[in-house]
Amino acid sequence: MYYFIEPMTEKDIPAVQRIEAQSFPIPWSANTYRRELRDTQRCRYIVARASPTPPPQGKSPPPARRAGFLSQLFGAFVAQPDHPDMATSAPIVGYGGLWLSADEAHVTTIAVDPAHRRRGVGELLLNGLIDQAYELGAAIITLEVRVSNDSAQRLYLKYGFTVVGSRRRYYTDNGEDALLMSIEALNDPAYRERLNALRRQLYARLQRQA
Ligand SMILES: CC(C)(COP(=O)(O)OP(=O)(O)OC[C@H]1O[C@@H](n2cnc3c(N)ncnc32)[C@H](O)[C@@H]1OP(=O)(O)O)[C@@H](O)C(=O)NCCC(=O)NCCS
């Protein structure tokens, strides 16, 4: 199976909401997604799709894509939006998003269809979001995660996030605390090197699976 990422569009919202309902106790409304998608200055949302064949590759990817690390290392796993088959029918198996405030990119959401977890899709999405953070000129990335959410915390730790604080009773469904995690040295050459090493490993894993 090939997994690849694309920008989220309004057409994708119902599929995203289906995964969200299986992933989070307090889902966003379709209107919230629409509002985020229309705020193109500050917000970036992506989806991961699964396909038995490689994703369509366009001839001239837009500069923003070409500039991203992800396109360089993950050519086969990033569909190019100028391709006529871009409106792909490959099902959505994950999604993620972030918004930018000053030089901080904040991950607002990330989730993978339970049937496709533990195959690198969460990592692929997180890489896509880190790329978007670079493209937006962010210096740091932050996020909140439930204290009980061990799998997500492991994913973030793997990518160099550290715990920088907590928010008491942050989640209104059960009063659970949130950990605040961040990557503060996004532009540090040592971090980029670490990221590239992780990306090479992920690329090899995705190739094997494909
Ligand atoms: C967190 C989530 C996005 C991970 O997606 P995924 O596709 O299963 O993750 P990957 O296969 O890419 O795993 C990447 C890394 O995450 C960590 N990880 C993911 N799932 C894990 C699990 N069940 N147990 C332990 N570590 C796990 C590991 O470090 C893993 O690296 P490894 O394969 O080298 O061990 C997914 O579990 C999910 O959608 N959870 C529900 C929504 C959610 O909690 N989102 C986060 C909100 S803050």
Side-chain angles (χ1 to χ4, degrees):
M1 189 67 79
Y2 283 87
Y3 292 110
F4 58 98
I5 58 171
E6 289 181 338
M8 188 190 296
T9 69
E10 293 193 21
K11 283 202 303 283
D12 299 329
I13 293 173
V16 164
Q17 286 186 300
R18 277 194 290 279
I19 297 171
E20 185 178 33
Q22 299 176 77
S23 304
F24 297 115
I26 314 173
W28 288 6
S29 68
N31 268 342
T32 302
Y33 278 107
R34 274 193 283 275
R35 201 178 54 234
E36 294 279 298
L37 290 174
R38 288 172 190 175
D39 186 352
T40 52
Q41 291 294 310
R42 295 191 319 146
C43 297
R44 293 286 188 281
Y45 283 80
I46 57 177
V47 292
R49 294 181 188 273
S51 162
T53 53
Q57 296 294 306
K59 288 197 177 63
S60 53
R65 287 292 191 95
R66 207 198 311 259
F69 286 174
L70 204 60
S71 305
Q72 290 164 22
L73 282 169
F74 284 78
F77 298 101
V78 182
Q80 303 299 351
D82 61 342
H83 193 281
D85 297 335
M86 164 66 182
T88 172
S89 56
I92 289 176
V93 297
Y95 66 93
L98 59 72
W99 50 253
L100 184 77
S101 174
D103 65 353
E104 175 184 336
H106 187 80
V107 176
T108 53
T109 186
I110 180 168
V112 174
D113 180 332
H116 292 266
R117 288 183 190 163
R118 302 297 339 239
R119 298 183 197 175
V121 181
E123 266 193 74
L124 186 60
L125 284 162
L126 185 61
N127 275 292
L129 294 178
I130 292 172
D131 251 21
Q132 297 294 332
Y134 279 121
E135 285 171 18
L136 286 166
I140 69 170
I141 305 187
T142 59
L143 55 80
E144 284 101 12
V145 57
R146 287 177 191 261
V147 289
S148 65
N149 194 345
D150 192 51
S151 39
Q153 286 171 37
R154 282 174 192 268
L155 168 63
Y156 303 141
L157 289 168
K158 183 172 179 179
Y159 274 79
F161 283 84
T162 55
V163 176
V164 291
S166 64
R167 300 198 196 285
R168 288 269 300 149
R169 303 185 63 77
Y170 181 77
Y171 296 98
T172 51
D173 62 311
N174 65 353
E176 189 172 349
D177 294 352
L179 294 179
L180 181 60
M181 299 183 79
S182 71
I183 302 171
E184 310 227 326
L186 206 52
N187 293 310
D188 186 331
Y191 181 73
R192 285 185 183 250
E193 212 170 288
R194 174 178 179 176
L195 186 60
N196 271 333
L198 285 164
R199 287 178 172 193
R200 280 191 289 273
Q201 281 171 26
L202 176 61
Y203 185 80
R205 176 185 183 179
L206 293 171
Q207 288 277 28
R208 275 198 307 277
Q209 290 178 175

